[in-house]
Amino acid sequence: AYGGDGRRGGGHRGRPRGKGQPVLVVPGFGASDASTRPLRRALSKLGYNVYGWAQGTNLGMNSKRKNLLVTQLQAINTRHGQPVALVGWSLGGVFARELARAFPAQVSQVFTLGSPIMATRRPTTSPRSSICLTRTARRRTGMRSINA
């Protein structure tokens, strides 16, 4: 990965600097914390307190994984005494969004990267493909809501 200045791993100049704010990064389907390591390292260098999801390979949502994710969010929130920013990659973005919907007081913001989510009534991709991707994600994960 090359930064905006062309140097490998560089390019942090001009990026928003953190002041120790907590960030939880959730990988996409079939990925683990190994895949988000470069992103977490970059955020850490910028001054954020960054956490991986620490659950191995993301194989979709189940009750154990959901409980661990909720417990992790609450622990990070308690440790830092402030809401946690969530960064979700692909299916991890769907998880992050649902986590924020279920626990809005514990989440400061959500960043989704390549996730099948519509931000407004107007989809980010064609309506048909966005709906299809969302349904596929829900089918694969069995997740309707983080509260369910």
Side-chain angles (χ1 to χ4, degrees):
Y2 290 89
D5 61 5
R7 292 181 298 152
R8 184 161 174 71
H12 297 301
R13 258 182 299 162
R15 304 293 193 285
R17 305 295 294 175
K19 296 177 182 165
Q21 301 97 317
V23 178
L24 174 59
V25 181
V26 184
F29 184 78
S32 67
D33 283 336
S35 69
T36 64
R37 188 174 294 124
L39 172 62
R40 289 183 288 117
R41 188 176 297 131
L43 290 170
S44 184
K45 285 180 180 179
L46 285 168
Y48 298 92
N49 279 301
V50 187
Y51 298 85
W53 91 319
Q55 293 193 45
T57 303
N58 181 349
L59 297 176
M61 188 57 69
N62 60 37
S63 60
K64 180 181 176 186
R65 192 163 287 124
K66 178 171 57 175
N67 291 336
L68 288 171
L69 197 54
V70 168
T71 300
Q72 185 178 22
L73 172 67
Q74 293 170 337
I76 295 169
N77 179 263
T78 299
R79 177 179 294 134
H80 292 278
Q82 62 181 303
V84 180
L86 303 176
V87 178
W89 196 320
S90 190
L91 182 60
V94 176
F95 292 176
R97 178 177 175 228
E98 292 303 314
L99 196 58
R101 287 173 58 174
F103 301 95
Q106 294 182 12
V107 176
S108 61
Q109 52 196 328
V110 176
F111 298 91
T112 60
L113 309 170
S115 300
I117 294 176
M118 295 188 318
T120 64
R121 291 183 188 264
R122 185 172 160 209
T124 55
T125 60
S126 72
R128 186 169 285 160
S129 65
S130 183
I131 290 167
C132 178
L133 287 171
T134 302
R135 286 182 183 156
T136 300
R138 286 182 179 160
R139 245 191 323 269
R140 284 187 181 166
T141 65
M143 183 162 108
R144 296 244 181 256
S145 168
I146 204 88
N147 286 331

